[in-house]
Amino acid sequence: RCVWCQYTVHDECMVDSLRTEDCTFGEFKDLIIPPYYLSTINQMRKEKRTSYEKVVPYCRNHWMPVMVLANTRSGNNMGEILLGEFKMLLNPVQVFDLSKIAPAKALQLCTWLPCNAVRVLVCGGDGTVGWVLDAIDEMKIKGQERYIPQVAILPLGTGNDLSNTLGWGAGYAGEVPVEQILRNVMEADGIKLDRWKVQVTNKGYYNLRKPKVFTMNNYFSIGPDALMALNFHAHREKTPSLFSSRIINKAVYFFYGTKDCLVQECKDLNKKVELELDGERIELPNLEGIIVLNIGYWGGGCRLWEGMGDEPYPLARHDDGLLEVVGVHGSFHCAQIQVKLANPVRLGQAHTVRLILKSSKMPMQVDGEPWAQGPCTVTITHKTRALMLYHSGEQTDDDDASSLSE
């Protein structure tokens, strides 16, 4: 039985069938890279011919080859299982294990395929998605702009706010068949995602170290949620075996959140920092944290900018070149926001955000990567736009209408 077209023959008939029957590649023919296509392109490369677009596989009306990039370290061994299932449905050459091959190397397959046709399914958390998007940015630098793929997400592990914003859900645990995932990728719509440059310059005239530079897809924060991420990160580094389950991860986060409610390590933040939005100084109320958002979801499924929806605030968008900036009064306030009992302190929207930490050491984080930071200037500016895929299926939050309007 052919695993692609499901055509079945007797063992003794197989040799004759191989001569006479062409595989139609079944339901996912528009996603599969046929073996003969790759061998043809390889021969053309040897002959230094580059007109690959003329080599279109037969039976293809809308050929959109899909590459699967799975992080087997994300989730509870789910990445390993998915790799095997995708290799059964697609050509194994288009399925990559990111623990064995870097995204930049895997994405070079795009240069063998038709321009603007490739879709990439990233199986992993938001960190894995950021890793792949960084590799796509490298393709732009190399002049491979016309081969840039569109990116879909299958969320594994914890921290999937970007995936949730783009309609792919907050976490995958095997509840949807792999075949349906491929159908969703085929039907998804293309959208753009703003990506931002975060530059952290340490204070002092004699500091010769280069500024730290990060790329932000989701959010930057200073204060209690960064402190929770920092404590969680440190704890996981010490005992990684304890953090194999999403429930345990959330329990540890809850512990550090309640601990911070009692200790209040980030109090009087408004006296320690200055905030500028598009060059205009903002007078800060009494705060413990500031969060700069690019996407609609934050904190594992909470729509932070819209809050409880009791005020006519414009919806947060991920493609308008604007950042949303909010403040929080502490860990308890963060928890109230997440269960829709409170709104954040909305400080404004801006194309450029500058934050000056004047004194003391404070926790900061970019997309879940935390660190402790001394006096510095943080400048957030627009970097580029990524081509993403939006799935308009069911949302995990009850704000479906607001998500779809993005």
Side-chain angles (χ1 to χ4, degrees):
R1 181 168 64 88
C2 175
V3 293
W4 286 333
C5 66
Q6 306 300 313
Y7 182 71
T8 307
V9 294
H10 295 107
D11 287 345
E12 52 269 27
C13 306
M14 190 169 69
V15 176
D16 291 332
S17 291
L18 287 174
R19 289 199 200 101
T20 57
E21 297 290 343
D22 287 329
C23 177
T24 62
F25 294 93
E27 179 185 356
F28 301 112
K29 63 179 181 291
D30 287 336
L31 307 183
I32 293 169
I33 302 174
Y36 67 79
Y37 175 88
L38 292 174
S39 60
T40 304
I41 297 297
N42 193 33
Q43 185 59 38
M44 290 177 72
R45 285 168 69 91
K46 287 177 183 174
E47 296 169 6
K48 297 186 177 178
R49 289 186 288 149
T50 56
S51 52
Y52 302 159
E53 61 275 3
K54 293 178 182 175
V55 189
V56 178
Y58 58 77
C59 302
R60 304 294 193 274
N61 296 324
H62 306 287
W63 193 40
M64 54 171 85
V66 165
M67 292 171 56
V68 177
L69 275 58
N71 187 351
T72 52
R73 295 192 182 98
S74 295
N76 193 10
N77 288 326
M78 188 55 69
E80 200 77 53
I81 296 165
L82 286 167
L83 275 174
E85 292 186 353
F86 280 121
K87 283 180 179 179
M88 286 289 289
L89 292 170
L90 305 171
N91 189 337
V93 79
Q94 62 195 99
V95 181
F96 298 89
D97 181 351
L98 293 181
S99 67
K100 295 177 181 174
I101 184 169
K105 195 165 184 183
L107 288 167
Q108 287 308 298
L109 179 59
C110 294
T111 63
W112 287 46
L113 298 166
C115 302
N116 307 315
V118 183
R119 297 189 165 199
V120 169
L121 176 63
V122 180
C123 307
D126 284 353
T128 305
V129 177
W131 189 22
V132 172
L133 293 181
D134 287 342
I136 290 173
D137 284 347
E138 287 178 29
M139 291 177 69
K140 294 177 187 175
I141 294 167
K142 290 177 184 174
Q144 297 172 343
E145 188 99 36
R146 61 199 180 121
Y147 298 112
I148 297 297
Q150 293 177 304
V151 179
I153 306 170
L154 183 61
L156 306 179
T158 55
N160 299 307
D161 288 307
L162 177 58
S163 168
N164 215 359
T165 298
L166 299 179
W168 298 101
Y172 176 77
E175 65 278 4
V176 179
V178 173
E179 291 85 352
Q180 186 57 47
I181 292 166
L182 289 177
R183 291 183 198 111
N184 292 343
V185 173
M186 288 171 75
E187 294 163 6
D189 299 315
I191 56 161
K192 290 182 179 176
L193 171 74
D194 290 322
R195 304 189 78 213
W196 301 82
K197 176 184 173 185
V198 180
Q199 184 168 302
V200 182
T201 309
N202 291 326
K203 201 173 179 181
Y205 294 105
Y206 302 106
N207 191 343
L208 301 177
R209 283 186 295 174
K210 286 184 179 179
K212 292 182 202 167
V213 179
F214 304 88
T215 299
M216 181 184 92
N217 301 311
N218 299 3
Y219 33 69
F220 163 87
S221 70
I222 175 171
D225 74 322
L227 179 62
M228 280 188 276
L230 187 61
N231 287 333
F232 176 84
H233 191 72
H235 209 80
R236 186 167 60 177
E237 289 288 305
K238 285 181 190 171
T239 52
S241 58
L242 286 176
F243 295 83
S244 58
S245 141
R246 196 175 293 159
I247 294 170
I248 291 173
N249 292 350
K250 289 191 175 181
V252 174
Y253 247 100
F254 176 76
F255 166 75
Y256 283 123
T258 51
K259 175 173 172 267
D260 185 47
C261 285
L262 303 173
V263 180
Q264 290 188 301
E265 291 184 45
C266 303
K267 64 181 180 180
D268 297 328
L269 177 73
N270 50 297
K271 296 175 184 175
K272 299 171 185 173
V273 304
E274 292 178 7
L275 178 67
E276 292 178 9
L277 301 183
D278 287 337
E280 184 181 334
R281 174 90 177 270
I282 304 296
E283 286 298 321
L284 295 174
N286 186 25
L287 295 173
E288 285 190 28
I290 293 172
I291 303 166
V292 182
L293 297 152
N294 178 45
I295 60 174
Y297 283 94
W298 163 87
C302 168
R303 293 194 70 87
L304 186 60
W305 178 250
E306 291 91 20
M308 294 185 291
D310 55 353
E311 300 169 52
Y313 266 83
L315 298 172
R317 295 180 63 90
H318 45 259
D319 60 354
D320 59 357
L322 280 172
L323 294 164
E324 287 72 40
V325 186
V326 301
V328 292
H329 297 304
S331 293
F332 186 64
H333 187 209
C334 285
Q336 286 181 308
I337 292 167
Q338 285 183 306
V339 294
K340 299 193 176 181
L341 292 176
N343 281 324
V345 180
R346 296 177 180 91
L347 300 171
Q349 293 177 292
H351 298 92
T352 301
V353 175
R354 180 172 285 109
L355 188 143
I356 301 162
L357 178 59
K358 297 182 286 187
S359 61
S360 79
K361 188 173 267 194
M362 294 292 289
M364 295 184 180
Q365 62 120 341
V366 173
D367 290 356
E369 294 297 321
W371 74 97
Q373 177 65 49
C376 69
T377 299
V378 179
T379 308
I380 306 176
T381 52
H382 195 269
K383 180 183 177 183
T384 185
R385 279 200 172 106
L387 301 176
M388 308 298 290
L389 289 166
Y390 181 86
H391 174 50
S392 55
E394 291 182 18
Q395 297 291 300
T396 55
D397 195 83
D398 57 4
D399 293 46
D400 301 89
S402 60
S403 307
L404 289 172
S405 66
E406 295 179 30

